[in-house]
Amino acid sequence: MVDTASFGIELKRPGTTRLRAAFFSVWFVDLVATVLFFTVPYAYEINPVTVFLHDLFGIAGVVFAALIYASFVLLIGYVLSTPLDIAFVATIVGMYALFASNNVVLLVSREPLLAPIVP
């Protein structure tokens, strides 16, 4: 294991345990929905990185892309100082909650979450 203190970097877990659990919960729901996008004919993934990795590695590429995104969020959260790390992770949780909700609604009803609002 690398001693980060020798590099002058102090890494600490971003946010609270409940906030991190919320992040991983909505991240996992989004991951499952994204995997399902590649198995149903009426929905498709628009993230070009995820699509590229799916084309290279199949479903494993989708999981790999999701792990990359989660790693970026965690690394950024580890580097930020205390009020900023909580705000950053909370913002990401909110964004993932919106995206995951939209994906689940799209998979279940075949209509996006905002379809009734946006023409």
Side-chain angles (χ1 to χ4, degrees):
M1 186 164 186
V2 176
D3 179 23
T4 57
S6 63
F7 292 109
I9 301 171
E10 181 185 335
L11 296 179
K12 58 182 182 36
R13 293 182 179 188
T16 63
T17 303
R18 291 178 64 189
L19 185 59
R20 289 189 306 274
F23 168 72
F24 284 116
S25 298
V26 294
W27 171 84
F28 183 74
V29 170
D30 188 53
L31 168 64
V32 171
T34 303
V35 167
L36 291 175
F37 278 174
F38 290 97
T39 63
V40 297
Y42 57 87
Y44 57 91
E45 175 62 36
I46 61 172
N47 184 323
V49 174
T50 304
V51 172
F52 175 74
L53 290 174
H54 175 265
D55 291 344
L56 282 179
F57 305 113
I59 296 298
V62 177
V63 175
F64 182 58
L67 290 172
I68 291 171
Y69 305 143
S71 297
F72 279 139
V73 170
L74 292 179
L75 287 173
I76 292 169
Y78 272 101
V79 173
L80 293 175
S81 61
T82 292
L84 293 176
D85 67 341
I86 294 170
F88 173 75
V89 176
T91 301
I92 297 299
V93 167
M95 291 171 57
Y96 259 123
L98 177 66
F99 298 150
S101 299
N102 183 65
N103 292 348
V104 170
V105 168
L106 177 61
L107 287 167
V108 172
S109 70
R110 298 184 180 211
E111 289 290 328
L113 187 63
L114 299 177
I117 300 169
V118 179

